[in-house]
Amino acid sequence: MHFLPENIDNYAVDHSQQEPIILKQLSKETWQKVLNPRMLSGDLQGRVLSMISKIIQPKNILEIGTYTGYSALCLAEGLAPEGKIFTLDKNEELETLQNKYFEKSGFRNQIKQYVGKAIDIIPTINEKFDLVFIDADKTNYINYFHLIIDKMNSGGIILSDNVLWSGKVVEKLDPKDKDTKILLAYNKLLNTDDRVETVLLPIRDGLTISRVK
């Protein structure tokens, strides 16, 4: 997932705000107990998410893809005092670990969890969002965009993770590779849809920032 030389990547991490202790603990436990721990937002990306949230100070955040809760806690750091984060994941087996750290974080009362298919859940949430983070199944990225775009406040931010897909987006496309095919179409959509303005950052596995007009 890392495209910069290791020494440059390490330098960037060393000269950025360090992650809170609770997130170090969550990261360690995720790597010890959960399958595919590389899905976890790393400390550098986590600080980027935190910084963006703090700049926006969102009233409502939607996160599509909770995993073990690391990114949710990063995003929650910037919530307005009465703000809420609505976080969705299909894996009910991760709820216990999520809740353990949500309880310890001090954000428990501002986090609302949903378990199930995001495609089905998003239409039931009657809120307008200032910040959305998409980090779930890649084949539904375009569907998620169309579901959330009319739920965004003007000036709201959509963050999309894994948009470089380990560099596969610039390699010859395998016709059987549905994830890459969808991500190629999704990246084009974000760059051409008149409702948003977009910049793609080569942070970790690619992070797109799209501002709703």
Side-chain angles (χ1 to χ4, degrees), residues 108-152:
R108 172 68 278 179
N109 293 335
Q110 292 178 277
I111 301 173
K112 185 169 179 58
Q113 295 160 271
Y114 295 82
V115 177
K117 294 181 179 180
I119 289 289
D120 299 327
I121 296 170
I122 293 171
T124 71
I125 304 176
N126 297 315
E127 300 285 352
K128 297 284 280 188
F129 297 101
D130 305 300
L131 179 59
V132 172
F133 182 43
I134 303 175
D135 185 17
D137 52 317
K138 312 312 165 192
T139 51
N140 271 313
Y141 266 35
I142 292 174
N143 294 327
Y144 295 146
F145 175 83
H146 290 305
L147 282 173
I148 65 170
I149 188 63
D150 290 331
K151 291 178 175 285
M152 299 295 300

Side-chain angles (χ1 to χ4, degrees), residues 17 22 24 36 57 78 80 105 115 130-131 168-169 179-180 192-193:
Q17 188 74 31
I22 186 175
K24 288 183 181 292
N36 300 317
Q57 295 186 305
S105 71
V115 177
D130 305 300
L131 179 59
K168 292 180 182 179
V169 292
D179 288 337
T180 302
T192 57
D193 194 299

Side-chain angles (χ1 to χ4, degrees), residues 54-76:
K54 287 174 180 175
I55 291 171
I56 299 170
Q57 295 186 305
K59 180 179 179 182
N60 286 319
I61 299 173
L62 174 65
E63 178 183 51
I64 306 172
T66 314
Y67 192 47
T68 58
Y70 187 102
S71 54
L73 292 180
C74 292
L75 293 167

Side-chain angles (χ1 to χ4, degrees), residues 3 78 95 100:
F3 300 104
E95 272 193 290
K100 174 181 177 180

Side-chain angles (χ1 to χ4, degrees), residues 33-51:
K33 298 180 178 179
V34 182
L35 291 174
N36 300 317
R38 69 194 297 264
M39 291 171 57
L40 190 78
S41 294
D43 50 356
L44 179 60
Q45 181 172 325
R47 291 305 86 202
V48 171
L49 297 179
S50 171
M51 182 68 77

Side-chain angles (χ1 to χ4, degrees), residues 171-186:
E171 297 174 354
K172 183 178 180 180
L173 179 63
D174 181 344
K176 298 179 181 179
D177 186 349
K178 294 182 180 179
D179 288 337
T180 302
K181 183 178 181 180
I182 292 294
L183 282 172
L184 286 167
Y186 180 70

